[in-house]
Amino acid sequence: MMIESDGPGGAEMMVFRLAQELRRRGHMVLPVGPRKGTGWMGNMFREAGVLQETFWLKRPLDPGCVTRLRQLFLEHQIDVVHSHEFTMGVYGAAAAGRVRIPQILTVHGGFTATKTLRRRVALRWAIRRSAGVAAVSKATRQEFAQNLGLRETAFAVVHNGVPSSTGNAEGVRREFGCEPGELVILAVGNLDRNKNHRMLLEALAILKRRALAKPWRLIIAGGRGGDERELLTHYAKDNWPDERVRIALGRSDIADLQALADVFVMPSLWEGLPMALLEAMVAGNAIVASETAGIPEAIVNGREGILVPPGDLESLVEALSKVLSDDGLRLRLGAAALARANREFTVEVMTDRYEAMYYRAAGIS
């Protein structure tokens, strides 16, 4: 199970959860992550008692990495390689081909994988040499097919899955000083422009001026940070010196934060099918999210949540005003989201689909 980064992030959490469910089913899973990274995903595997191997690149094009991965596959008697994202997809295809074992490749989304001709050529090469390729949403499949000049049928769609169990809110409630009667708003995502946390803060500043009746508190779980970290931090301090808005980085307790939240907001400009959105559904939260890319595959506007056009500030203000002021609406949206998540977006459903891909790739009926 190979991925080029170790988080914190949705793709890394998906890899961890998939690996754990496969282990529960009796498979031996060997996670492979970067030697130099944050250590976030590696720590989760170590705490679970799972051996993890690492890869490293001495230069962007490093044949030695292929040799090292080949040796690793032989040493651990690997039957199937499951690579995630661009770098591991390319190097995994090369190394797996050297030892004549199949690779499954998952693309999670993002703009960097296909932004240059060299990367597009390399990724097309890796796809042709993979026994199966999965995209995490229909929108992700469409994006990659278009950017790579491939048919959409080159990609299966395997939606991400999340555990059906929920977190414990009590510890984080004390940590963030949430008062009785306060509505907790949660946003999850790195502090990058695409996540559009700035527009969420602007929307809440407008609602502050309108004197919204119900008290609220916002927590932004900002992952590994990002290029808008300083801007967001200053904006929050200038508008809410009482720390009503908190930005927290490197959190591995998103399930606990989801259990604490009443409203989950994802104002992203583009997404695949984000794990945090699915976690909010499992937690039964009222959801306000951008109507972009893979999100409408999980949320029907007005049924499991409220969808707004990406980048539309006034629509976000209106949607937040509705869910923050209407207790009945929050309960209805949250219940519908939970019901759909349990039907379609659990770890078990996701693992069933990948397990079937592994068996087909290995020629096992």
Side-chain angles (χ1 to χ4, degrees), residues 72-252:
L72 185 150
F73 297 162
L74 291 171
E75 177 186 348
H76 293 279
Q77 299 181 320
I78 299 300
D79 299 305
V80 177
V81 175
H82 188 171
S83 297
H84 298 259
E85 304 287 38
F86 171 82
T87 301
M88 287 293 90
V90 173
Y91 279 91
R98 292 275 297 276
V99 292
R100 300 182 183 276
I101 59 176
Q103 168 176 268
I104 301 297
L105 171 60
T106 295
V107 292
H108 292 258
F111 302 104
T112 61
T114 59
K115 71 177 182 179
T116 66
L117 176 60
R118 183 173 65 177
R119 291 173 76 88
R120 291 193 294 272
V121 169
L123 190 53
R124 281 195 295 264
W125 178 87
I127 288 171
R128 288 196 299 270
R129 283 158 178 76
S130 295
V133 184
V136 299
S137 70
K138 293 176 183 177
T140 302
R141 175 177 66 180
Q142 183 181 42
E143 178 207 18
F144 274 85
Q146 181 177 340
N147 290 346
L148 295 173
L150 300 174
R151 294 181 179 180
E152 290 189 17
T153 53
F155 304 81
V157 174
V158 181
H159 289 130
N160 289 334
V162 294
S164 54
S165 60
T166 55
N168 187 329
E170 292 313 306
V172 288
R173 187 184 303 279
R174 290 190 298 271
E175 177 185 350
F176 289 97
C178 301
E179 301 290 341
E182 280 185 336
L183 294 175
V184 177
I185 307 167
L186 176 66
V188 177
N190 295 324
L191 307 181
D192 300 323
R193 179 181 175 276
N194 179 61
K195 298 299 182 181
N196 208 17
H197 296 306
R198 171 65 183 268
M199 194 174 81
L200 172 57
L201 296 182
E202 291 173 351
L204 289 171
I206 291 172
L207 290 177
K208 176 185 175 183
R209 293 193 292 271
R210 293 181 185 177
L212 188 70
K214 287 186 177 290
W216 55 267
R217 183 177 298 271
L218 170 67
I219 300 170
I220 298 176
R224 54 182 171 266
D227 54 14
E228 292 201 329
R229 177 180 179 180
E230 186 174 349
L231 181 152
L232 295 170
T233 301
H234 287 311
Y235 192 100
K237 288 182 178 179
D238 290 344
N239 285 276
W240 296 279
D242 61 353
E243 295 193 327
R244 185 165 300 280
V245 173
R246 294 275 298 276
I247 299 173
L249 303 182
R251 305 294 299 205
S252 58

Side-chain angles (χ1 to χ4, degrees), residues 138 273 277-278 281 285-308 323 329 332-341 343-345:
K138 293 176 183 177
L273 183 59
L277 181 83
L278 303 181
M281 294 175 72
N285 290 329
I287 295 170
V288 175
S290 294
E291 191 171 13
T292 183
I295 291 177
E297 295 174 38
I299 301 290
V300 174
N301 186 30
R303 190 172 74 189
E304 292 93 10
I306 298 178
L307 299 182
V308 300
V323 298
L329 176 63
R332 289 194 300 274
L333 294 176
L338 172 59
R340 186 170 184 190
R343 289 194 308 270
E344 301 179 35
F345 302 115

Side-chain angles (χ1 to χ4, degrees), residues 45-84:
F45 277 117
R46 281 189 290 274
E47 289 173 3
V50 179
L51 169 69
Q52 184 189 28
E53 293 281 3
T54 60
F55 78 93
W56 65 96
L57 297 172
K58 294 182 178 178
R59 59 187 70 87
L61 185 61
D62 183 4
C65 182
V66 176
T67 301
R68 291 188 292 272
L69 288 174
R70 174 185 176 276
Q71 292 170 344
L72 185 150
F73 297 162
L74 291 171
E75 177 186 348
H76 293 279
Q77 299 181 320
I78 299 300
D79 299 305
V80 177
V81 175
H82 188 171
S83 297
H84 298 259

